[in-house]
């Protein structure tokens, strides 16, 4: 367990001009080691930040995910003919050879085999090779005849008994193709190839289901959606996944490191629950069929070891990083009893569902790892927006997902854990009882803005929460059509911090992602920020950091 120390928060100005310290961060300088802002473009090239549409066999790239000590899922999609586009159901079966090697030139292949790509799976394949060595970097590729896929880089996790010194996770969410470019993913790719990132966590809104032009960026649509209508059918979801995976920046990030993913609502429909969704209307057909199709397409296209919850399978799962950390990835969309309701005490109103709660409780109480990381698609910390200037509260509530009149009246967001207080209380009680040394860290996405703070239960700190900003989806300055870091945003941040003292960092304008580094002594989050997501190739700079030392 982590040492008993007082909780420490810190911000560091790093990289000279690269630092973008927010004047409202309630943090203080510390001796946390500065992050070197090196030019990583030379490390492994700089992918062109626009979608590639020319047909070739491996035009959707490669990916890996859900690493274990002896295996990691390897993924690709093959396009056997120009007509065999995602969602078409067209194209012959293709027998692929997969290879995994210790070197990029494949002179030391350690495992290989064959896998059949078929139209039934949208010509996507998942390979679970096993027999690999723990804590080892591997390179992998697929071959169709004499044509080779791009080469991917991946890494197995440490043995369960070993004690790795540290773990570095890139944490990302909310990538809207129409509201900007994916510079965050390019940066993840460069840093992963440079050995600065072990695993990429994607916490949802990997894609958006909207029709074109519904949710543009500050100045408009960067790249129009395919198909242009709101995606509803299995074919629609597959087409949208295929479009995303032609983005070379996203391809580069997938190819550079293993990903561990969970969905939020937009992979399915806005504010999705079991009985329905805010974003699903009667004329769009049967909700259960849409949900199953969306989940099926996601599982086909992601490098994930999971089965479809809409068909009795499950996405929630744990991954172990030796004795240092255990990561629990939650699925907060497959068991939601219905829309959230602020201050409801109804114990039946659930986000996790009983089975997932029991599973997580067992994991938390039996894990011997120093840190418990909980990947949650939506924020667990309460958020109170009361008394905020209505002209700012409305767009802020909209970007944090609170888009109903009732929510605006209270200023709270019922799609987050705030809307399921009984579920939250049950989980925090469980953590307080089984992990009293404040060694639980929630890693969160969804709200297109940077947040960090301590998580308390009945006045006692039991952990921390770190929230990544959006890869590109709009946030406060975009919604208000103001420059990044305007006086309006800064005032809103001050208001949020003053009324929500458990938060110690917030930035409502930044886009990018979060790097979380943990060791036996503590956890440090550092936000990476894209200068201008609407400009292809825009620089990514090191932003604020926030540290948490755990300890009761
Ligand atoms: Fe989002």
């Amino acid at each position: 367990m982590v040492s008993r120390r007082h909780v420490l928060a810190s911000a560091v100005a790093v990289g000279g001009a690269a630092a973008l310290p927010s004047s409202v961060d309630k943090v203080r300088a510390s001796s946390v080691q500065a992050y070197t802002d090196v030019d990583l473009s030379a490390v492994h090239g700089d992918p062109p930040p626009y979608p590639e549409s020319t047909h070739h066999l491996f035009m959707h790239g490669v990916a890996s995910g859900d690493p274990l000590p002896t295996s990691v899922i390897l993924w690709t999609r093959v396009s056997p003919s120009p007509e065999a586009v995602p969602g078409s159901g067209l194209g012959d079966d293709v027998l692929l050879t997969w290879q995994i090697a210790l070197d990029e030139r494949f002179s030391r292949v350690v495992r290989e085999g064959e896998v059949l790509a078929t139209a039934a799976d949208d010509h996507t394949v998942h390979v679970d090779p096993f027999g690999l060595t723990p804590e080892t970097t591997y390179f992998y590729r697929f071959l169709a005849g004499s044509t080779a896929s791009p080469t991917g880089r991946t890494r197995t996790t440490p043995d369960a008994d070993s004690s790795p010194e540290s773990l570095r996770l890139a944490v990302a969410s909310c990538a809207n193709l129409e509201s900007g470019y994916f510079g965050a993913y390019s940066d993840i790719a460069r840093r992963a190839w440079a050995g600065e990132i072990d695993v990429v966590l994607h916490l949802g809104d990997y894609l958006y289901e909207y029709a074109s032009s519904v949710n543009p960026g500050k100045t408009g649509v960067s790249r129009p959606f395919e198909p242009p209508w709101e995606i509803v059918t299995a074919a629609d979801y597959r087409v949208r996944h295929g479009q995303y995976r032609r983005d070379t920046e996203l391809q580069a990030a997938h190819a550079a490191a293993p990903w561990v993913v969970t969905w939020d609502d937009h992979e399915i429909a806005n504010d999705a629950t079991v009985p329905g969704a805010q974003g699903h209307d009667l004329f769009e057909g049967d909700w259960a069929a849409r949900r199953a199709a969306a989940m099926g397409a996601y599982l086909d296209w992601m490098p994930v070891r999971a089965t479809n919850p809409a068909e009795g399978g499950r996405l929630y799962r744990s991954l172990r990083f030796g004795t240092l950390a255990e990561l629990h990835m939650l699925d907060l969309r497959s068991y939601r009893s219905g829309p959230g309701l602020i201050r409801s005490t109804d114990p039946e109103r659930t986000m996790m569902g009983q089975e997932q709660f029991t599973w997580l409780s067992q994991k938390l109480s039996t894990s011997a790892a120093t840190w418990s990381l909980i990947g949650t698609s939506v924020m667990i910390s309460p958020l109170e927006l009361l008394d905020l200037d209505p002209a700012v509260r409305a767009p802020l509530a909209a970007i944090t997902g609170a888009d109903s009149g009732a929510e605006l009246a209270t200023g709270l967001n019922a799609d987050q854990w705030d809307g399921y207080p009984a579920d939250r209380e049950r989980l925090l009680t469980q953590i307080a009882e089984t992990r009293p040394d404040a060694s639980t860290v929630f890693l969160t996405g969804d709200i297109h803005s940077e947040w960090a703070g301590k998580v308390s239960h009945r006045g006692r700190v039991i952990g921390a929460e770190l929230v990544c900003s959006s890869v590109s989806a709009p946030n406060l300055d975009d919604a208000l059509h103001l420059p990044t870091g305007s006086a309006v945003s800064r005032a809103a941040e001050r208001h949020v911090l003053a009324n929500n003292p458990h938060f110690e960092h917030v930035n409502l304008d930044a886009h990018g992602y979060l790097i979380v580094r943990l060791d036996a002594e503590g956890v440090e989050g550092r936000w990476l920020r894209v200068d201008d997501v609407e400009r292809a190739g825009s620089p990514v700079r090191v932003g604020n950091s926030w540290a948490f030392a755990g300890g009761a």
Side-chain angles (χ1 to χ4, degrees):
M1 292 295 151
V2 293
S3 55
R4 293 172 68 91
R5 274 204 275 153
H6 286 299
V7 172
L8 166 76
S10 68
V12 287
V14 286
L20 294 173
S22 159
S23 59
V24 299
D25 293 319
K26 290 199 319 186
V27 286
R28 63 175 191 268
S30 86
S31 59
V32 174
Q33 190 193 351
Y35 202 75
T36 316
D37 207 13
V38 293
D39 176 15
L40 294 169
S41 59
V43 174
H44 211 270
D46 225 350
Y50 49 81
E52 165 69 61
S53 57
T54 313
H55 170 262
H56 59 93
L57 275 174
F58 294 104
M59 60 192 287
H60 297 99
V62 297
S64 71
D66 283 354
L68 302 174
T70 57
S71 192
V72 56
I73 298 285
L74 309 178
W75 179 98
T76 196
R77 197 237 179 212
V78 65
S79 302
S81 63
E83 299 74 40
V85 295
S88 66
L90 300 175
D92 295 337
D93 294 356
V94 182
L95 188 63
L96 298 173
T97 299
W98 57 268
Q99 292 181 321
I100 187 158
L102 288 166
D103 65 315
E104 233 180 308
R105 300 178 66 179
F106 290 88
S107 60
R108 287 181 289 157
V109 172
V110 293
R111 302 274 292 167
E112 64 183 335
E114 289 182 333
V115 60
L116 191 67
T118 69
D121 296 327
D122 211 15
H123 284 99
T124 62
V125 296
H126 295 73
V127 173
D128 207 348
F130 292 102
L132 304 178
T133 305
E135 225 171 342
T136 302
T137 298
Y138 287 102
F139 301 89
Y140 64 94
R141 66 182 178 183
F142 294 85
L143 302 163
S146 58
T147 305
S149 72
T151 295
R153 172 194 173 279
T154 193
R155 192 166 166 78
T156 48
T157 54
D159 220 7
D161 306 330
S162 72
S163 305
E165 199 178 301
S166 68
L167 174 66
R168 289 124 349 134
L169 307 135
V171 183
S173 76
C174 299
N176 186 337
L177 264 179
E178 290 214 328
S179 60
Y181 294 92
F182 293 169
Y185 290 147
S186 281
D187 201 65
I188 288 173
R190 288 189 291 265
R191 291 187 190 277
W193 278 102
E196 293 187 7
I197 291 167
D198 299 313
V199 181
V200 179
L201 238 62
H202 204 291
L203 293 168
D205 294 355
Y206 177 90
L207 55 69
Y208 283 78
E209 83 286 14
Y210 295 130
S212 187
S213 302
V214 169
N215 198 232
K218 193 186 288 183
T219 65
V221 170
S222 302
R223 297 161 289 178
F225 277 142
E226 298 170 13
W229 53 83
E230 182 172 326
I231 51 176
V232 176
T233 66
D236 291 345
Y237 284 101
R238 286 172 160 182
V239 170
R240 190 68 57 90
H241 275 281
Q243 182 192 17
Y244 266 70
R245 289 296 261 281
R246 294 202 318 270
D247 180 275
T248 49
E249 298 189 282
L250 178 53
Q251 274 195 21
H254 273 299
W259 284 41
V260 179
V261 303
T262 190
W263 50 46
D264 194 31
D265 53 341
H266 289 290
E267 287 86 346
I268 309 159
N270 190 46
D271 290 358
T273 73
V274 174
Q278 183 276 333
H280 182 79
D281 297 314
L282 275 178
F283 72 85
E284 290 173 313
D286 181 57
W287 167 242
R290 179 181 182 183
R291 191 168 157 266
M295 291 177 168
Y298 179 89
L299 298 178
D300 280 344
W301 278 82
M302 287 293 164
V304 60
R305 194 181 283 108
T307 45
N308 194 339
E311 295 164 359
R314 78 179 215 195
L315 178 62
Y316 63 82
R317 63 209 185 280
S318 292
L319 288 97
R320 181 88 182 261
F321 299 89
T323 58
L324 181 60
E326 191 159 16
L327 167 66
H328 312 290
M329 292 296 278
L330 304 188
D331 172 0
L332 299 180
R333 294 294 166 184
S334 298
Y335 314 98
R336 278 195 194 222
S337 54
L341 194 60
I342 303 294
R343 298 192 184 96
S344 164
T345 53
D346 178 1
E348 299 299 309
R349 189 175 292 275
T350 176
M351 191 186 305
M352 292 184 71
Q354 184 58 48
E355 209 173 291
Q356 182 173 206
F357 177 78
T358 303
W359 162 83
L360 181 61
S361 298
Q362 269 167 8
K363 283 284 177 189
L364 291 170
S365 58
T366 57
S367 175
T370 301
W371 294 99
S372 272
L373 308 176
I374 299 181
T376 166
S377 58
V378 296
M379 192 156 76
I380 195 148
S381 300
L383 174 60
E384 177 63 80
L385 300 177
L386 270 177
D387 304 325
L388 183 62
D389 177 353
V392 176
R393 193 178 62 194
L396 181 57
I399 67 158
T400 60
D403 44 14
S404 78
E407 286 163 358
L408 284 182
T410 62
L412 293 162
N413 178 1
D415 194 55
Q416 304 183 157
W417 286 86
D418 274 337
Y420 304 82
D423 235 20
R424 174 168 58 194
E425 172 64 17
R426 198 163 58 136
L427 177 57
L428 296 186
T429 302
Q430 176 71 18
I431 292 169
E433 286 170 2
T434 57
R435 298 191 68 86
D437 59 346
S439 59
T440 301
V441 176
F442 291 90
L443 300 172
T444 309
D446 179 50
I447 49 174
H448 308 184
S449 39
E450 301 174 355
W451 301 76
K454 292 161 214 155
V455 175
S456 297
H457 181 253
R458 295 180 189 163
R460 188 159 61 87
V461 174
I462 58 164
E465 179 164 35
L466 291 124
V467 185
C468 64
S469 57
S470 65
V471 168
S472 67
N475 48 25
L476 188 60
D477 62 319
D478 302 320
L480 294 170
H481 299 279
L482 290 171
T484 300
S486 77
V488 175
S489 292
R490 294 290 95 104
E493 289 159 358
R494 276 195 296 274
H495 179 94
V496 165
L497 292 175
N499 289 278
N500 300 268
H502 46 286
F503 289 119
E504 300 183 353
H505 168 73
V506 62
N507 184 306
L508 299 172
D509 288 347
H511 295 285
Y513 70 104
L514 167 70
I515 294 180
V516 174
R517 183 189 182 281
L518 52 139
D519 58 28
E521 295 300 309
V523 174
E524 186 204 42
R526 199 177 290 275
W527 288 270
L528 280 291
R529 296 176 182 158
V530 182
D531 270 7
D532 178 2
V533 288
E534 292 186 281
R535 192 156 53 85
S538 183
V540 180
R541 301 178 195 275
V542 181
N544 290 76
S545 72
W546 186 82
F548 178 72

